[in-house]
Amino acid sequence: MRRWRVGLAGLALLGALVAARVPEAAAEPRQALVLGAAQYDGVPSPVFRARLDAALELYRSGRTARIVVSGGRAPGDRFSEGASGCRYLEDRGVPAAALACETESHSTWENLLRARPLLEPGPVWIVTDEPHLPRALLLARRLGLEARGWPVRGHFSSSYRLRERLLYALARLGFTH
């Protein structure tokens, strides 16, 4: 009787091991969302250009097949950040079919919210400045995006870094989005 129980327990264990699946590595994103930054009469600011260049490298390296550029226009602007960014990428060889331009947003939250319908299902690279990335990822995940960060390195002021840390803390606490 004891052998029978041991044998049954062994079969159960073997069945559990066979049935247990090793978690598959999550697929790498095939799309990137570039969060907007300033543009000057259709020309991306240096900060925005760095974000666009990072997405361009993702595209040229084959790591992503689609880029969504997000950002509206400030009062008095003729061009939106999204349209300026898309034109910048097209001028550098990204086909229009691989681009989507969101042109109405005015904040990180709106960038993500308004770009969401333009994204394909699945994971997405969030392309933004290194100090901005933790907050952007937090907000993206709150919106249900399967977001991964692609940090854009640079020389950022201590006041910008401090501002982003404060906004991140406030967003974690639910005071802002």
Short mmCIF file of all heavy atoms in Angstrom, two decimals, residues 41-71:
data_model
loop_
_atom_site.label_atom_id
_atom_site.label_comp_id
_atom_site.label_asym_id
_atom_site.label_seq_id
_atom_site.Cartn_x
_atom_site.Cartn_y
_atom_site.Cartn_z
N ASP A 41 8.70 76.30 -34.71
CA ASP A 41 8.24 76.52 -36.08
C ASP A 41 8.51 75.30 -36.96
O ASP A 41 9.02 75.41 -38.08
CB ASP A 41 8.88 77.77 -36.68
CG ASP A 41 8.06 78.33 -37.84
OD1 ASP A 41 6.81 78.18 -37.83
OD2 ASP A 41 8.67 78.87 -38.77
N GLY A 42 8.19 74.12 -36.41
CA GLY A 42 8.31 72.88 -37.17
C GLY A 42 9.64 72.16 -37.00
O GLY A 42 9.81 71.06 -37.52
N VAL A 43 10.57 72.76 -36.30
CA VAL A 43 11.89 72.15 -36.09
C VAL A 43 11.96 71.63 -34.65
O VAL A 43 11.78 72.41 -33.71
CB VAL A 43 13.02 73.18 -36.33
CG1 VAL A 43 14.38 72.56 -36.06
CG2 VAL A 43 12.94 73.73 -37.75
N PRO A 44 12.20 70.33 -34.47
CA PRO A 44 12.27 69.80 -33.10
C PRO A 44 13.37 70.46 -32.29
O PRO A 44 14.47 70.73 -32.80
CB PRO A 44 12.59 68.31 -33.32
CG PRO A 44 12.10 68.02 -34.71
CD PRO A 44 12.34 69.29 -35.48
N SER A 45 13.07 70.74 -31.03
CA SER A 45 14.07 71.27 -30.10
C SER A 45 15.18 70.23 -29.92
O SER A 45 15.00 69.05 -30.25
CB SER A 45 13.43 71.58 -28.76
OG SER A 45 13.04 70.36 -28.13
N PRO A 46 16.33 70.61 -29.38
CA PRO A 46 17.39 69.62 -29.15
C PRO A 46 16.93 68.44 -28.29
O PRO A 46 17.29 67.30 -28.57
CB PRO A 46 18.48 70.43 -28.45
CG PRO A 46 18.30 71.82 -28.97
CD PRO A 46 16.80 71.98 -29.11
N VAL A 47 16.12 68.69 -27.27
CA VAL A 47 15.62 67.61 -26.41
C VAL A 47 14.71 66.68 -27.21
O VAL A 47 14.83 65.45 -27.15
CB VAL A 47 14.88 68.19 -25.18
CG1 VAL A 47 14.12 67.11 -24.44
CG2 VAL A 47 15.87 68.89 -24.26
N PHE A 48 13.80 67.26 -27.98
CA PHE A 48 12.88 66.47 -28.79
C PHE A 48 13.66 65.70 -29.87
O PHE A 48 13.39 64.53 -30.14
CB PHE A 48 11.83 67.39 -29.41
CG PHE A 48 10.64 66.70 -30.02
CD1 PHE A 48 10.22 65.44 -29.61
CD2 PHE A 48 9.91 67.33 -31.01
CE1 PHE A 48 9.11 64.82 -30.18
CE2 PHE A 48 8.80 66.73 -31.57
CZ PHE A 48 8.41 65.47 -31.16
N ARG A 49 14.63 66.37 -30.49
CA ARG A 49 15.44 65.73 -31.52
C ARG A 49 16.17 64.51 -30.96
O ARG A 49 16.26 63.47 -31.61
CB ARG A 49 16.41 66.73 -32.12
CG ARG A 49 17.07 66.24 -33.39
CD ARG A 49 17.87 67.31 -34.13
NE ARG A 49 18.81 68.00 -33.27
CZ ARG A 49 18.73 69.29 -32.92
NH1 ARG A 49 17.73 70.03 -33.35
NH2 ARG A 49 19.64 69.83 -32.15
N ALA A 50 16.68 64.61 -29.73
CA ALA A 50 17.36 63.46 -29.11
C ALA A 50 16.39 62.28 -28.94
O ALA A 50 16.76 61.12 -29.17
CB ALA A 50 17.96 63.87 -27.77
N ARG A 51 15.16 62.56 -28.55
CA ARG A 51 14.15 61.50 -28.43
C ARG A 51 13.85 60.88 -29.80
O ARG A 51 13.77 59.66 -29.94
CB ARG A 51 12.86 62.05 -27.82
CG ARG A 51 12.99 62.52 -26.39
CD ARG A 51 11.69 63.13 -25.90
NE ARG A 51 11.84 63.74 -24.59
CZ ARG A 51 10.85 64.27 -23.90
NH1 ARG A 51 9.61 64.28 -24.40
NH2 ARG A 51 11.07 64.81 -22.72
N LEU A 52 13.68 61.74 -30.80
CA LEU A 52 13.40 61.26 -32.15
C LEU A 52 14.57 60.44 -32.71
O LEU A 52 14.36 59.40 -33.34
CB LEU A 52 13.08 62.44 -33.07
CG LEU A 52 11.78 63.18 -32.75
CD1 LEU A 52 11.74 64.53 -33.46
CD2 LEU A 52 10.57 62.34 -33.11
N ASP A 53 15.79 60.90 -32.46
CA ASP A 53 16.97 60.16 -32.92
C ASP A 53 17.07 58.79 -32.25
O ASP A 53 17.49 57.81 -32.88
CB ASP A 53 18.25 60.96 -32.68
CG ASP A 53 18.38 62.15 -33.64
OD1 ASP A 53 17.72 62.16 -34.70
OD2 ASP A 53 19.15 63.07 -33.31
N ALA A 54 16.67 58.70 -30.99
CA ALA A 54 16.68 57.40 -30.29
C ALA A 54 15.66 56.46 -30.94
O ALA A 54 15.96 55.28 -31.18
CB ALA A 54 16.36 57.59 -28.81
N ALA A 55 14.49 56.97 -31.27
CA ALA A 55 13.47 56.14 -31.95
C ALA A 55 13.94 55.77 -33.35
O ALA A 55 13.71 54.64 -33.81
CB ALA A 55 12.14 56.90 -32.01
N LEU A 56 14.61 56.69 -34.02
CA LEU A 56 15.14 56.41 -35.35
C LEU A 56 16.16 55.28 -35.29
O LEU A 56 16.15 54.38 -36.15
CB LEU A 56 15.78 57.68 -35.93
CG LEU A 56 16.36 57.59 -37.32
CD1 LEU A 56 15.30 57.21 -38.34
CD2 LEU A 56 17.02 58.93 -37.69
N GLU A 57 16.99 55.27 -34.28
CA GLU A 57 17.96 54.19 -34.12
C GLU A 57 17.26 52.86 -33.85
O GLU A 57 17.66 51.82 -34.38
CB GLU A 57 18.94 54.52 -33.00
CG GLU A 57 20.03 53.48 -32.83
CD GLU A 57 20.82 53.18 -34.10
OE1 GLU A 57 21.07 54.11 -34.89
OE2 GLU A 57 21.18 52.00 -34.31
N LEU A 58 16.21 52.88 -33.04
CA LEU A 58 15.42 51.67 -32.82
C LEU A 58 14.86 51.15 -34.15
O LEU A 58 14.85 49.94 -34.42
CB LEU A 58 14.26 51.93 -31.86
CG LEU A 58 14.57 51.96 -30.38
CD1 LEU A 58 13.39 52.52 -29.58
CD2 LEU A 58 14.92 50.56 -29.89
N TYR A 59 14.38 52.06 -34.98
CA TYR A 59 13.81 51.68 -36.27
C TYR A 59 14.90 51.14 -37.21
O TYR A 59 14.74 50.07 -37.80
CB TYR A 59 13.09 52.88 -36.90
CG TYR A 59 12.46 52.54 -38.22
CD1 TYR A 59 11.24 51.89 -38.28
CD2 TYR A 59 13.12 52.84 -39.41
CE1 TYR A 59 10.68 51.55 -39.50
CE2 TYR A 59 12.57 52.51 -40.63
CZ TYR A 59 11.35 51.86 -40.67
OH TYR A 59 10.80 51.51 -41.87
N ARG A 60 15.98 51.88 -37.34
CA ARG A 60 17.05 51.47 -38.27
C ARG A 60 17.70 50.15 -37.87
O ARG A 60 18.15 49.40 -38.73
CB ARG A 60 18.11 52.56 -38.36
CG ARG A 60 17.65 53.76 -39.16
CD ARG A 60 18.73 54.80 -39.25
NE ARG A 60 18.33 55.91 -40.10
CZ ARG A 60 18.93 57.09 -40.11
NH1 ARG A 60 19.97 57.31 -39.31
NH2 ARG A 60 18.52 58.04 -40.91
N SER A 61 17.75 49.88 -36.57
CA SER A 61 18.36 48.64 -36.10
C SER A 61 17.40 47.45 -36.23
O SER A 61 17.80 46.31 -35.97
CB SER A 61 18.79 48.79 -34.64
OG SER A 61 17.66 48.86 -33.78
N GLY A 62 16.17 47.70 -36.62
CA GLY A 62 15.19 46.63 -36.77
C GLY A 62 14.51 46.23 -35.47
O GLY A 62 13.73 45.28 -35.44
N ARG A 63 14.77 46.95 -34.39
CA ARG A 63 14.16 46.61 -33.11
C ARG A 63 12.71 47.05 -33.02
O ARG A 63 11.96 46.58 -32.17
CB ARG A 63 14.96 47.22 -31.96
CG ARG A 63 16.34 46.55 -31.84
CD ARG A 63 17.06 47.01 -30.64
NE ARG A 63 16.51 46.34 -29.46
CZ ARG A 63 17.01 46.50 -28.26
NH1 ARG A 63 18.03 47.29 -28.07
NH2 ARG A 63 16.48 45.87 -27.24
N THR A 64 12.32 47.97 -33.87
CA THR A 64 10.94 48.40 -33.92
C THR A 64 10.55 48.65 -35.38
O THR A 64 11.39 49.02 -36.19
CB THR A 64 10.71 49.66 -33.05
OG1 THR A 64 9.31 49.91 -32.96
CG2 THR A 64 11.41 50.87 -33.59
N ALA A 65 9.29 48.41 -35.68
CA ALA A 65 8.82 48.57 -37.04
C ALA A 65 7.86 49.75 -37.19
O ALA A 65 7.49 50.10 -38.30
CB ALA A 65 8.11 47.28 -37.49
N ARG A 66 7.49 50.34 -36.07
CA ARG A 66 6.48 51.40 -36.07
C ARG A 66 6.83 52.42 -35.00
O ARG A 66 7.28 52.06 -33.91
CB ARG A 66 5.12 50.78 -35.80
CG ARG A 66 3.97 51.71 -35.76
CD ARG A 66 2.67 50.87 -35.65
NE ARG A 66 1.56 51.67 -35.23
CZ ARG A 66 0.93 52.54 -36.00
NH1 ARG A 66 1.32 52.73 -37.24
NH2 ARG A 66 -0.10 53.23 -35.53
N ILE A 67 6.61 53.70 -35.33
CA ILE A 67 6.89 54.78 -34.38
C ILE A 67 5.66 55.69 -34.31
O ILE A 67 5.16 56.15 -35.33
CB ILE A 67 8.12 55.62 -34.79
CG1 ILE A 67 9.37 54.74 -34.93
CG2 ILE A 67 8.35 56.76 -33.80
CD1 ILE A 67 10.56 55.45 -35.54
N VAL A 68 5.20 55.92 -33.10
CA VAL A 68 4.14 56.89 -32.85
C VAL A 68 4.80 58.09 -32.19
O VAL A 68 5.54 57.95 -31.21
CB VAL A 68 3.04 56.31 -31.94
CG1 VAL A 68 1.98 57.36 -31.63
CG2 VAL A 68 2.41 55.07 -32.58
N VAL A 69 4.55 59.28 -32.73
CA VAL A 69 5.11 60.52 -32.18
C VAL A 69 3.96 61.32 -31.61
O VAL A 69 2.95 61.53 -32.28
CB VAL A 69 5.86 61.33 -33.25
CG1 VAL A 69 6.50 62.57 -32.63
CG2 VAL A 69 6.92 60.48 -33.95
N SER A 70 4.12 61.77 -30.37
CA SER A 70 3.03 62.42 -29.67
C SER A 70 3.39 63.84 -29.27
O SER A 70 4.52 64.10 -28.86
CB SER A 70 2.68 61.59 -28.43
OG SER A 70 1.55 62.12 -27.79
N GLY A 71 2.43 64.74 -29.35
CA GLY A 71 2.62 66.10 -28.86
C GLY A 71 1.80 67.11 -29.63
O GLY A 71 1.75 67.08 -30.86
#
